[in-house]
Amino acid sequence: MSPSPLAGLAPIALAELIERAALQCRVDRKYVVAVDEVPHLLDQLTPYARVLDIGGQRVFAYESVYFDTPCLASYHCAAYRRRRRFKVRTRTYLDSAQCWLEVKISGARGLVTKHRLPYLAEDRHTVRSGRGFVDEALVRESIWPDVAASPLEPVLTTNYRRSTLLLPATASRVTIDTELTWHDGDRTLRLPGIAVVETKTSSAASLVDRMLWQRGIRPVRISKYATGLAALRLDLPDVPWRRTLRRHFRASPPLVGPASTVPTRSEQEASCA
């Protein structure tokens, strides 16, 4: 995303953002919007929002590596809408090389809890040095029996660029992710024409939620891990994200391997019909 649409927003430093809206336990709502609609949304938010600014930079490059068991326990918990679901990932802030190991737990009523551990960026493709932290978080959240003694291996890598906003009136956050890319082995999926807008609140809908609802944009089921993996692996169950896949991923550019072009998901579905 060009930084110019963000120029009209007042800045906020990272420390203040964390102090005012850490929201490690929160409700997330996700929306898929066209990239060219984002500047209009930001213009509307100018009187109400502040944007994370670090050294004059307002758009930041992220990389997330997602880990799962050999039978994809994390993925299948999401695909079958288990009451309690988990994700394990490393998140690297590429501009600063800071890295975290994270365990996210999704529970009843859409509540999300996140556990974080500072991590070495060079270790971001393995959980080996942080496995004790992961196990402790899963035990604490009563997830552990589902993945007991199972190895956790890297399954999917996502890259994107993110801007983060604070809505001071409600101490809620909004993230806007663009230039979304998924890597699964030698396959890559890029969706340059969409943005994922995510609101993070203690419970009630935020101003951004209401603005998007007024424009007819409703929350969608999308997970950077699960939806991305479903788009890349046609054999996986995809019911929770099927509408999102058909609406936003089927019209995407093709999946591209190192030496050949792989059919898009819609082309694969047509060939299987």
Side-chain angles (χ1 to χ4, degrees):
M1 184 199 321
S2 167
S4 56
L6 299 164
L9 297 175
I12 186 169
L14 179 60
E16 184 181 357
L17 176 69
I18 294 172
E19 179 183 356
R20 300 184 64 172
L23 293 172
Q24 296 301 93
C25 185
R26 67 196 188 218
V27 174
D28 295 343
R29 298 177 181 87
K30 301 177 183 179
Y31 306 83
V32 176
V33 304
V35 167
D36 56 12
E37 293 183 19
V38 173
H40 176 66
L41 176 64
L42 293 173
D43 286 343
Q44 287 184 295
L45 287 173
T46 300
Y48 311 106
R50 298 171 65 185
V51 60
L52 175 64
D53 186 303
I54 301 176
Q57 188 171 347
R58 298 185 172 194
V59 184
F60 305 93
Y62 283 55
E63 178 190 87
S64 296
V65 180
Y66 290 90
F67 300 85
D68 213 333
T69 66
C71 64
L72 300 180
S74 173
Y75 179 90
H76 284 95
C77 281
Y80 294 114
R81 304 300 294 170
R82 298 286 172 81
R83 187 177 68 86
R84 295 181 66 74
R85 305 179 296 278
F86 74 97
K87 290 178 189 171
V88 178
R89 72 186 180 199
T90 56
R91 168 167 287 175
T92 305
Y93 302 88
L94 298 176
D95 300 288
S96 63
Q98 290 186 345
C99 183
W100 296 82
L101 175 61
E102 300 182 340
V103 181
K104 290 185 70 176
I105 308 296
S106 300
R109 297 179 296 279
L111 190 65
V112 176
T113 304
K114 184 162 69 173
H115 307 270
R116 305 183 85 200
L117 175 74
Y119 214 57
L120 294 175
E122 56 263 37
D123 291 339
R124 66 187 183 276
H125 296 287
T126 177
V127 297
R128 196 169 298 115
S129 61
R131 185 61 196 256
F133 166 80
V134 172
D135 292 348
E136 181 182 345
L138 294 175
V139 168
R140 188 183 314 138
E141 299 285 351
S142 302
I143 299 290
W144 176 247
D146 293 329
V147 292
S150 295
L152 290 169
E153 299 296 337
V155 173
L156 188 73
T157 300
T158 66
N159 293 87
Y160 51 96
R161 292 175 64 77
R162 167 170 288 186
S163 298
T164 301
L165 312 181
L166 171 72
L167 302 177
T170 54
S172 56
R173 294 206 319 266
V174 180
T175 57
I176 302 172
D177 298 340
T178 58
E179 300 181 29
L180 294 144
T181 305
W182 290 262
H183 306 279
D184 172 24
D186 61 355
R187 291 175 294 180
T188 298
L189 170 64
R190 296 182 178 87
L191 294 180
I194 70 168
V196 175
V197 177
E198 185 170 350
T199 64
K200 307 167 193 287
T201 69
S202 57
S203 59
S206 71
L207 173 64
V208 171
D209 292 296
R210 294 192 294 273
M211 284 180 173
L212 292 171
W213 296 347
Q214 289 172 359
R215 295 167 62 186
I217 301 173
R218 309 300 295 182
V220 299
R221 286 183 175 174
I222 185 170
S223 156
K224 287 193 183 70
Y225 174 51
T227 312
L229 198 61
L232 287 160
R233 300 192 190 181
L234 186 60
D235 59 311
L236 292 176
D238 64 358
V239 171
W241 316 286
R242 191 165 291 167
R243 178 177 295 182
T244 301
L245 286 164
R246 288 176 174 171
R247 182 171 296 177
H248 302 290
F249 286 67
R250 285 175 61 177
S252 66
L255 314 180
V256 179
S260 62
T261 297
V262 179
T264 63
R265 185 176 183 88
S266 56
E267 292 169 344
Q268 294 177 60
E269 288 175 340
S271 68
C272 293

